[in-house]
Amino acid sequence: MSVRNLRIEFPTRRGTLVAVDDISFDISPGEILGVVGESGAGKSLTGAAIIGLLEPPGRIAQGEILLEGRRIDNLPYEQLRRIRGRQIGAIFQDPLTSLNPLYSISRQLVETIQTHLPLNDREARTRALALLDEVGIPSAGERIDHYPHQFSGGMRQRVVIALALCAEPRLIIADEPTTALDVSIQAQIISLLKGLCHEHGTAVMLVTHDMGVIAEAADRVAVMYSGRIAEIGPVQEVIRTAKHPYTHGLMGSIPLIGHHVKKLTQIDGAMPRLQEIPAGCPFNPRCEKVMDCCRVERPNLQTVQKSRVACHLFDGADGEARAGE
Ligand code: SF4
């Protein structure tokens, strides 16, 4: 999946608000890209735009979204709806938003399977059972005819993952899939998602505000701030040697076992509201390393080691000229 120069706008009476501003990234088959940031950074909107569920008046004002080389952002509603089920699966924070409380799990799975695959009732039920087994529902044969309320939160999220996998999608958008779950269950769901995606070769965009989830699940991570990508790179490199001052602050705010620090880092201030994004680098009012150029020039993403970083500290031919100062 490729996102190219995506810009999402909200026209309002007081002017146009830019919620996502010129972001580009790719996700390869079997790869999990974690997208992290504070609420309002534009991560969920990006996921919604990819899946074609951007709520009006939000609109894609610029850019392209390509799935397996085919542009999908400009397709008519009906075509996109078909692609959404067949090629793109979705997992949201609350499993109950994806499940109909009035229908048994078997009915929901069988209907979804038959919408996308040419299978008769018996074949679809067999596939539904296999999926429930695969996502770790114990005694799937007995539980398949139960209703959503008869499952625990973690089990419901497993059912939602089974639903998302019904048509063997090429891409899954998982938006805060573990936020509503107990911590012990979170780890199980993350490892399930990770295993399934690597096995099926499904690309995953994992949207979360939780760096722990990113560290556990993602292959690469994109850090978003004020609708832009601040840093994107392999997860271990971003965690161990964060380059952008915002990423650095995020990492410093996470307690680590075995690391004795008196006080965790705090990033002073708050992310600007959409109507108040400052000129230049949007992080400049909160940045400890701010320079004059940061207040006027927007930093572009540039390659530093295996990552790409949007920060003037890395301007210059060698990419790290001012970073050590
Ligand atoms: Fe800080 Fe400037 Fe880098 Fe923005 S561009 S993160 S203000 S140093």
Side-chain angles (χ1 to χ4, degrees):
M1 202 266 307
S2 281
V3 170
R4 293 274 152 265
N5 306 105
L6 180 69
R7 180 180 167 104
I8 300 174
E9 291 180 350
F10 284 82
T12 70
R13 266 180 295 163
R14 290 197 201 148
T16 300
L17 301 180
V18 181
V20 170
D21 191 0
D22 196 16
I23 66 166
S24 300
F25 59 87
D26 298 322
I27 315 179
S28 309
E31 181 184 53
I32 301 185
L33 175 76
V35 181
V36 73
E38 295 168 66
S39 51
K43 52 194 195 310
S44 291
L45 278 178
T46 305
I50 293 170
I51 215 165
L53 290 178
L54 206 53
E55 295 219 8
R59 61 167 193 226
I60 296 178
Q62 181 194 299
E64 297 182 347
I65 300 167
L66 298 112
L67 187 64
E68 297 189 311
R70 178 186 179 201
R71 195 163 166 196
I72 58 168
D73 59 283
N74 57 358
L75 292 178
Y77 178 81
E78 217 15 69
Q79 270 189 49
L80 185 58
R81 197 185 66 80
R82 271 198 298 268
I83 285 188
R84 189 154 60 222
R86 181 74 183 87
Q87 291 182 283
I88 311 178
I91 304 167
F92 297 111
Q93 179 172 337
D94 181 359
L96 288 178
T97 55
S98 309
L99 297 172
N100 187 330
L102 301 177
Y103 292 167
S104 67
I105 296 304
S106 61
R107 179 165 173 187
Q108 298 185 54
L109 283 166
V110 165
E111 273 184 7
T112 310
I113 290 167
Q114 288 184 324
T115 305
H116 302 294
L117 302 175
L119 299 181
N120 63 31
D121 290 353
R122 196 174 45 80
E123 291 164 338
R125 190 176 164 93
T126 305
R127 177 159 173 76
L129 263 173
L131 280 167
L132 288 180
D133 254 342
E134 201 177 355
V135 298
I137 302 283
S139 318
E142 289 164 30
R143 308 221 56 193
I144 190 168
D145 292 312
H146 286 182
Y147 287 78
H149 74 270
Q150 294 172 287
F151 291 81
S152 65
M155 285 295 155
R156 277 200 285 261
Q157 200 58 306
R158 286 174 190 266
V159 173
V160 171
I161 294 175
L163 262 178
L165 289 172
C166 273
E168 284 275 340
R170 305 310 305 141
L171 171 72
I172 287 182
I173 307 286
D175 191 346
E176 303 279 7
T178 59
T179 307
L181 304 175
D182 288 349
V183 176
S184 57
I185 308 293
Q186 284 184 4
Q188 294 173 13
I189 296 294
I190 286 298
S191 87
L192 171 69
L193 193 59
K194 192 173 166 177
L196 288 173
C197 294
H198 287 172
E199 240 168 69
H200 290 248
T202 315
V204 177
M205 177 177 165
L206 174 63
V207 174
T208 177
H209 66 278
D210 186 338
M211 273 313 294
V213 168
I214 296 281
E216 201 53 49
D219 300 300
R220 283 188 308 131
V221 57
V223 179
M224 285 192 73
Y225 189 83
S226 281
R228 302 173 191 183
I229 292 178
E231 180 163 356
I232 181 166
V235 73
Q236 287 309 324
E237 182 174 309
V238 173
I239 287 175
R240 292 207 181 116
T241 55
K243 294 164 187 73
H244 194 285
Y246 176 62
T247 321
H248 216 265
L250 277 186
M251 297 305 153
S253 64
I254 301 169
L256 296 173
I257 292 173
H259 254 246
H260 295 283
V261 284
K262 279 196 180 152
K263 211 174 157 198
L264 293 172
T265 316
Q266 176 182 322
I267 310 173
D268 288 334
M271 198 169 65
R273 297 186 331 177
L274 288 185
Q275 54 271 51
E276 290 163 0
I277 297 176
C281 169
F283 189 57
N284 82 63
R286 305 172 74 188
C287 182
E288 286 180 348
K289 299 198 169 180
V290 61
M291 302 172 286
D292 289 343
C293 61
C294 304
R295 298 196 175 91
V296 270
E297 267 175 59
R298 174 181 173 154
N300 291 317
L301 278 172
Q302 47 201 320
T303 305
V304 185
Q305 295 170 351
K306 290 183 187 153
S307 300
R308 290 174 59 73
V309 187
C311 172
H312 289 305
L313 289 170
F314 298 92
D315 285 351
D318 61 356
E320 298 199 48
R322 285 186 254 176
E325 285 175 11

